[in-house]
Every structure is written in structure tokens, then in C-alpha cells.
Amino acid sequence: MKADPTALPTTTVTTECSKQPLLFPDLIARPVEVDFDAGHVSSDGGGVLLAQLDRREGYLERFALCFDDYRDPELIEHDLLLLLRQRTYGLGLGYEDLIDHDTLCRDPLLASLCGKDDPLGQDRARRQDRGKALAGKSTLNRLELTPADADAAARYKKIVADPEALEQFFIEEYVRSLPADTERVTLDLDATDDPLHGQQEGRFFHGYYGDYCYLPLYIFDGDWPILAWLRTSDGEASTGAVGKVEKIVAALRRRFPQVQIRLRADSGFCRDALMVWCELNGVKYLFGLARNAVLERKLARALKQAQALSEAQGGAAARVFAEMTYKAERWHAPRWVIGKAEWTQGEANPRFIITNEDPLAFDAQRLYEQDYCGRGDMENRIKEQQLDLYADRTSTETMRANQLRLWFSTLAYLLMNRLRQVGLAGTELARATCGTIRLKLFKVGALVRVRVRRVWVSLSSAYPLQVLFRLVAERLSAAPG
């Protein structure tokens, strides 16, 4: 065959050539020499904090109880708890894809964090696996792809997740976290879009978001995740909310029989079924209410007052709050509504909320501006989970597998948030996002030396947050309060 005259010459890289150090003579006065001879180096030196928090609180051990492992214990090299730690810690450390673990499986530091007694992987049964202490992507993928009806007779996929138990796990962890003297809790509900880019099960086009997506339902108390339920987008925001709220309220009242519970949500959850359930079960609610011609007529006088105030103040925004009763056509009875008559930038901006709180026990302005508007922080928590912990990586084929991915992300968020509460309280990172915590505390270069009796992790002497790192480590070493 005739050679292609335009082809580049072939370069042969010999073994000896590859061992030569790299020289960068032009950087400073003396040459800079680079070689790959440092041994085991990890970019995740701060991951020891995440693992220590988990050991302190026991989250992954309880999480593992939500799975049935039908594998033969005599034949497995990676037990269930280790696999769950590897997957969850990986998300916390910034590894969103399973394929990342084909490289991470060689990291002796991550293997130590996950509980592997042989962090160098020298005792693996097969010669080709030696040096890989942890599971690769194919093994981890079985967590997601095992069908619900799998059992010991299945050939490969034998680790079965129990959806009911996993959902209840997050509810019980929330209830467990509350102080013994808790008298009142506020549960924030919200739905968000999770765009799809393939032919996943449950794929529907959502007109409001203008895309094919899932529509997961989230419930938080402050920054604590209680529910992350993956749903198709062919329903509305409140679809299924009554059943999920009922489970959470039941768990709360088992521990706190007299606790006062309030739901907060935007107008997408202002539905008669949810409000009736709250009224019948002694739960307060504070929901947004979509405006309409009837409500705007009821607020007309207050809007005129707000306009007059704005003009008197030279065009500055002005607000007047009004209280009223309102009954939609499908409601069984009138309900109490607070209207915000706002005049801003030369035009009206009316807004409404609805509540079953005692109208004699609250101030309308405070209830709107502080209590209702406080729910907006939940949107930041959802964004944090999606952007920093990859809750929107629902790209596998089935709803079941994608729901499990969402639960892994939620558990990683729970760990990171608990690190904020326990280890970072009162420090410069007390309100940092998960991404900032990862960058500042976890992504620290570490030289890892594995010895018979100890694993040495050496961090840089120039690491600028050494004092903070030590403080967090000391706090996490203490017994839970």
C-alpha cells in the first residue's frame, strides 16, 4: 500500500524515554524538573473530614439497611457498605459520573475512607485487579440497575434497593436530628425541573419549563433535606404532596406528639386537597395564591393607597397590606388571604398568600415578609444540591435508577450540610456552599504512604486553612451531642 505523503511521522515512545524527567528551563533562573515519582498522591486530602463525620453520625450504616444484598459473602470483595460509601463520598468530593471510579478505584486514600483494610488492593483475588482497592464503574452500576424483583438466583445484579425504606430513611434522619425540646417546625415544599437529554423512562414535555424533564418534589426544614421524590412532569407541582406530607407529619408526631407543624410553598401547592388535609389534621399552611380579577378587586383600595404613598415619596416603592376572605369556585369554604398591594416603578405589583393561621395571632406584614418570603431560601438549597452534588444527573434509563441517583445526591448533601452544622459552626465557612467547602477543605493535595500499621496522609505545609482544618477535625472526633 502506498504511503500517505501528508501523514505525520510516527513517534515511538520507548520505556526509557518515558522515564526521563520533564524540563521547564524557562520558568525561573534555575531549571524546573518534573517527574512522576511522588508515589501515591491524592487530590482529596480533606476527604478524611467527610468520612469522619459519617463514622461519627452513622448515616451510611443506617442507609445500608435499606438494601437487600443477595450476593454470596464468600465470593464478594466489596461489601455493600463500602460500595455505598464509595458512591456517596465520590459525589461529595466532586466525582459526578460512575466512570470516574475506574480511576478512583486505585486511590488508597479513598479506599481508606471507605473502610478498605487493604487500601493498595494487593490482596485482590484476580491478578488483573491488584492495585485497584475499590470497585470500578461496572460494579457500582449494579446498585442502580438491579431490578426490584432480583434475588439470589440473579446472575449479576443482586443488590436490591427498597424505595419505601429509603424514603423513610431520610424522614427518620430528619426527625432524629431535631432537639428534644422541639415545639414548632416549618416544612418547605417546592418542585423544580430536571431536564432530560435522552429517552429516559417517564420522559414528558413540560410547557412551563419548555423542555423534556422530570419534576422532582423536594421538602426541606431550613437546610435539612427531608424528601427528594423523582416524578414525571405530566402532573403539577402539588401532585402526590398530600401522601408525602402525611408520612412526614406522622413521623414527627410519633416523637413530638404536641409539635406545631407549618407547611410553606408557592402557589403551585395552593390546592384544595392539600389545604383540606392540613385543616383536618391540625397542620398550619402558608401558601402563595395566584392572583385573579376577584382578588385584585378586593385589593384595589390598598393599591390606591400604595400608589399615593409611592408618589408622595418621589416614586419609591411602597407597600400596603390588606386582609380578606376568599373562596375559589372549587373550594368547600372561604379562607383567609393576605394581599400585598405594592406600587413599584410606576405600576402595581399585587401579590397574595393564603393561610389557616389565626388572623388574630399574627401581623399581616410580618407574616408575608418574614414568614412566607423566608421560604425562598429553599430554592438555594435545591440549586446547591443540583449544581454541587449533581442531583440532576438523572441520565440513566429507568425511573428507579434515576431515583436512586437522586437519593445518593441527597445523602451527600446531608453529609455536607451536617459538616457545616457540626464542624464549621461559627467559622468563616459556616454558611459556605457545598462547592466552596469542597474547594477549601476537601481538594487538598495529599501524599499518601501506606504502611503495615498506619496510613500516613501528608498535606502541604503551605495549606492556608490549617487552623480551620484542625478545628473541624477536633469537633468531628468528639462524640455526638
Side-chain angles (χ1 to χ4, degrees):
M1 183 174 64
K2 187 176 181 180
D4 182 359
T6 64
L8 294 175
T10 301
T11 301
T12 302
V13 180
T14 66
T15 302
E16 183 169 350
C17 232
S18 66
K19 292 182 179 179
Q20 296 300 314
L22 303 173
L23 291 178
F24 296 86
D26 302 324
L27 301 182
I28 55 176
R30 69 189 75 178
V32 174
E33 183 175 293
V34 177
D35 208 343
F36 300 94
D37 57 359
H40 294 291
V41 178
S42 174
S43 63
D44 303 309
V48 294
L49 300 176
L50 192 65
Q52 180 63 29
L53 172 73
D54 175 37
R55 301 304 199 278
R56 176 185 191 270
E57 304 283 351
Y59 292 124
L60 267 297
E61 289 184 357
R62 293 190 291 275
F63 190 73
L65 298 177
C66 302
F67 294 77
D68 291 313
D69 189 353
Y70 293 107
R71 297 176 298 167
D72 185 342
E74 299 296 325
L75 300 178
I76 63 174
E77 295 183 286
H78 309 296
D79 63 41
L80 174 61
L81 180 58
L82 186 142
L83 293 175
L84 296 177
R85 282 175 173 162
Q86 184 180 345
R87 185 71 169 99
T88 307
Y89 295 174
L91 291 170
L93 295 172
Y95 301 104
E96 61 183 296
D97 290 318
L98 286 173
I99 196 172
D100 296 327
H101 290 270
D102 275 358
T103 301
L104 291 172
C105 66
R106 299 177 179 274
D107 185 348
L109 177 57
L110 181 58
S112 300
L113 303 186
C114 293
K116 198 73 172 179
D117 291 333
D118 174 27
L120 292 178
Q122 296 303 311
D123 295 336
R124 296 291 300 274
R126 300 192 308 171
R127 178 175 298 178
Q128 61 264 40
D129 290 333
R130 290 170 190 166
K132 304 173 185 178
L134 294 175
K137 66 177 187 302
S138 298
T139 301
L140 288 171
N141 204 27
R142 295 174 189 173
L143 291 169
E144 300 174 359
L145 298 186
T146 301
D149 58 353
D151 56 21
R155 185 170 184 181
Y156 295 117
K157 302 176 178 65
K158 301 183 181 184
I159 303 176
V160 183
D162 183 341
E164 291 294 325
L166 285 164
E167 185 172 275
Q168 196 65 31
F169 164 83
F170 288 101
I171 296 174
E172 294 297 339
E173 291 301 324
Y174 161 63
V175 175
R176 185 198 307 271
S177 74
L178 295 172
D181 59 351
T182 297
E183 297 179 353
R184 185 182 184 92
V185 298
T186 298
L187 308 179
D188 291 319
L189 291 75
D190 203 0
T192 189
D193 64 314
D194 179 1
L196 300 179
H197 306 287
Q199 298 297 321
Q200 290 96 321
E201 179 186 10
R203 182 175 184 263
F204 287 97
F205 185 86
H206 196 287
Y208 177 81
Y209 293 109
D211 206 346
Y212 289 92
C213 63
Y214 291 139
L215 192 68
L217 171 65
Y218 288 90
I219 301 181
F220 278 75
D221 179 354
D223 54 8
W224 193 283
I226 308 171
L227 180 83
W229 178 34
L230 195 67
R231 305 174 299 177
T232 56
S233 63
D234 54 338
E236 57 180 14
S238 65
T239 299
V242 171
K244 302 304 181 183
V245 168
E246 187 173 11
K247 287 185 178 181
I248 298 170
V249 170
L252 281 166
R253 287 180 172 162
R254 279 195 294 270
R255 184 181 177 197
F256 307 104
Q258 304 302 319
V259 68
Q260 300 177 42
I261 303 171
R262 175 197 278 172
L263 304 186
R264 289 192 303 193
D266 61 24
S267 60
F269 293 85
C270 183
R271 299 295 183 267
D272 192 56
L274 183 55
M275 292 187 289
V276 167
W277 185 91
C278 290
E279 292 157 359
L280 292 176
N281 289 275
V283 174
K284 301 299 183 182
Y285 57 78
L286 190 57
F287 297 152
L289 177 61
R291 66 189 188 187
N292 57 43
V294 175
L295 290 169
E296 290 180 358
R297 283 199 301 271
K298 287 176 174 286
L299 198 64
R301 178 179 298 179
L303 276 170
K304 289 182 179 179
Q305 295 174 354
Q307 180 182 6
L309 285 173
S310 176
E311 292 172 351
Q313 297 170 4
R319 292 179 173 182
V320 175
F321 289 85
E323 301 175 43
M324 64 193 75
T325 59
Y326 171 71
K327 180 183 180 302
E329 182 178 346
R330 297 183 179 181
W331 294 358
H332 73 285
R335 292 185 169 103
W336 200 251
V337 172
I338 295 172
K340 180 191 74 170
E342 183 176 51
W343 196 268
T344 179
Q345 297 181 348
E347 60 183 24
N349 181 37
R351 291 288 186 270
F352 302 90
I353 61 173
I354 189 168
T355 185
N356 63 342
E357 297 275 6
D358 183 356
L360 301 178
F362 61 78
D363 174 75
Q365 183 171 354
R366 182 194 63 79
L367 192 70
Y368 187 100
E369 294 183 336
Q370 296 182 24
D371 294 353
Y372 175 70
C373 291
R375 63 162 294 278
D377 188 56
M378 180 189 177
E379 297 180 6
N380 295 326
R381 306 284 74 79
I382 294 175
K383 291 176 182 176
E384 190 176 15
Q385 193 174 333
Q386 289 189 325
L387 296 176
D388 294 341
L389 295 166
Y390 321 112
D392 57 355
R393 289 290 291 176
T394 49
S395 54
T396 194
E397 181 181 1
T398 66
M399 287 283 291
R400 177 183 173 85
N402 285 319
Q403 173 66 81
L404 186 56
R405 286 190 174 189
L406 180 55
W407 278 323
F408 279 131
S409 170
T410 304
L411 181 56
Y413 174 83
L414 191 157
L415 289 173
M416 299 285 278
N417 185 55
R418 190 64 177 149
L419 181 66
R420 268 194 299 234
Q421 295 174 344
V422 175
L424 295 171
T427 72
E428 61 194 89
L429 297 181
R431 296 188 60 81
T433 66
C434 294
T436 298
I437 293 171
R438 177 189 298 141
L439 178 64
K440 298 287 188 179
L441 282 185
F442 296 170
K443 289 300 179 182
V444 184
L447 178 63
V448 184
R449 291 166 291 169
V450 180
R451 300 293 182 260
V452 174
R453 297 185 178 180
R454 183 165 297 187
V455 176
W456 292 91
V457 181
S458 300
L459 306 183
S460 171
S461 301
Y463 176 49
L465 296 179
Q466 294 180 43
V467 174
L468 176 62
F469 194 102
R470 289 182 179 276
L471 173 63
V472 175
E474 290 170 1
R475 287 178 174 180
L476 297 181
S477 297

